Amino acid sequence: MSTAKTLARTILIVEDNPQSMNLIRMTLAPYDYHLVGAIDGEEGLRIANEVRPDLIIMDIQLPKLDGLEVTRRLRLIPVFRQTPIVAVTALAMPGDRERILAAGCDAYLVKPLNIRELPGVIAQILATTVSGGVE
Ligand code: MN
């Protein structure tokens, strides 16, 4: 039994593109995170409620519910009000940054992902949040 396992932060990755999902998983694999995946917006909402992740990596273009809508719905649930949500998006249209932040995301990363940057960004955001933000 490893104490490290029970202390590991849970990260939910909501991403419909298998290659992007694999890339994010492989990039974060060396770190002590518990990684959970969801492949569309509805599954993202359901799994978020099941596992109560410490941080969510949220693709914006998703089947069923897009990442902005998933983020808006999560923010209405008290337990997720302060959960860090990092958007990942290929969108780079004027106004996208504002829409993403207005939906409730804390930060966003542009695709193609800079995999050398990702672990540091995630660690930095987690370092500023307290686990299990139930008030
Ligand atoms: Mn997508």
Side-chain angles (χ1 to χ4, degrees):
M1 296 246 272
S2 150
T3 23
K5 271 292 172 229
T6 61
L7 293 173
R9 304 285 197 103
T10 297
I11 297 178
L12 169 61
I13 306 159
V14 188
E15 171 61 78
D16 62 312
N17 180 292
Q19 285 163 325
S20 297
M21 175 68 88
N22 281 340
L23 181 66
I24 296 170
R25 281 186 177 274
M26 283 169 48
T27 302
L28 296 179
Y31 303 88
D32 190 24
Y33 298 128
H34 178 222
L35 302 177
V36 182
I39 60 166
D40 63 51
E42 286 179 2
E43 188 176 73
L45 268 180
R46 180 168 57 76
I47 293 181
N49 277 290
E50 281 172 18
V51 307
R52 302 281 179 91
D54 297 287
L55 181 146
I56 301 171
I57 297 174
M58 182 76 73
D59 183 29
I60 296 302
Q61 292 177 300
L62 290 169
K64 299 186 182 175
L65 292 175
D66 73 23
L68 297 179
E69 185 58 26
V70 176
T71 299
R72 286 185 204 106
R73 294 191 189 190
L74 287 172
R75 290 302 188 219
L76 296 175
I77 304 169
V79 75
F80 296 118
R81 212 168 51 204
Q82 295 186 310
T83 304
I85 300 177
V86 180
V88 174
T89 179
L91 303 172
M93 308 290 281
D96 281 345
R97 175 190 160 79
E98 290 70 23
R99 288 195 309 127
I100 288 166
L101 298 179
C105 295
D106 298 280
Y108 81 100
L109 302 171
V110 177
K111 287 180 177 179
L113 274 181
N114 181 342
I115 61 169
R116 288 169 53 201
E117 193 178 83
L118 182 65
V121 171
I122 299 302
Q124 190 177 21
I125 293 172
L126 281 172
T128 63
T129 62
V130 178
S131 205
V134 190
E135 285 173 50

